[in-house]
Amino acid sequence: MGKPTIILHIDDDTDDLELVKEAFTEIDPSLVLWQSNKGEDALVLLQQSKESGNLPAMIILDMNMPPLNGKDILLEIRNIPEFAAIPVTLFTTSTSVNDKEFAHREGIRFITKPSRQAELIERLKSTLPGYIDSSLRGKLP
């Protein structure tokens, strides 16, 4: 049996953590979801994953968190060579053009948090490496 697919979700909103957990359970129960409600704790978790050799396959990162926001965490992640290639998705309530431009400059996905669980599931599916629903192929940004 191979290594599990690990996804790291960083968000200070406990409701959003639970909604994303439920969505990934529905998408694929074999996915391993690590969650952190503090950016600092997530960076420690990433360091531990580097030491164990169990790096996440992707990181979902909230934009607006205190004290380290999503941009700060992303820049920290990108400064560690082992993490530089991990796909990151900014997952936020922000609709700011500046935030979207930041994501574009950094080469990461930007998803505005949807209000419906079904839409959340579809958006999360579209971010998974190697897992794109055939109905979404060719329609992704």
Side-chain angles (χ1 to χ4, degrees), residues 40-78:
E40 300 86 349
D41 293 346
L43 292 172
V44 170
L45 187 60
L46 278 170
Q47 187 62 35
Q48 292 170 344
S49 77
K50 181 175 91 168
E51 292 165 6
S52 71
N54 290 318
L55 296 176
M58 76 177 278
I59 299 170
I60 300 171
L61 183 56
D62 184 25
M63 177 72 81
N64 302 310
M65 296 183 293
L68 285 179
N69 66 35
K71 291 177 184 179
D72 296 331
I73 295 168
L74 177 67
L75 296 176
E76 289 281 335
I77 290 169
R78 293 297 190 233

Side-chain angles (χ1 to χ4, degrees), residues 89-109:
T89 297
L90 283 178
F91 187 63
T92 182
T93 56
S94 173
T95 56
S96 162
V97 171
N98 289 338
D99 290 342
K100 290 177 183 178
E101 288 174 353
F102 171 82
H104 181 73
R105 277 193 314 275
E106 294 297 322
I108 61 175
R109 299 223 25 185

Side-chain angles (χ1 to χ4, degrees), residues 109 126 132-141:
R109 299 223 25 185
S126 75
I132 298 177
D133 187 307
S134 61
S135 66
L136 300 174
R137 290 188 195 279
K139 298 179 184 177
L140 301 176

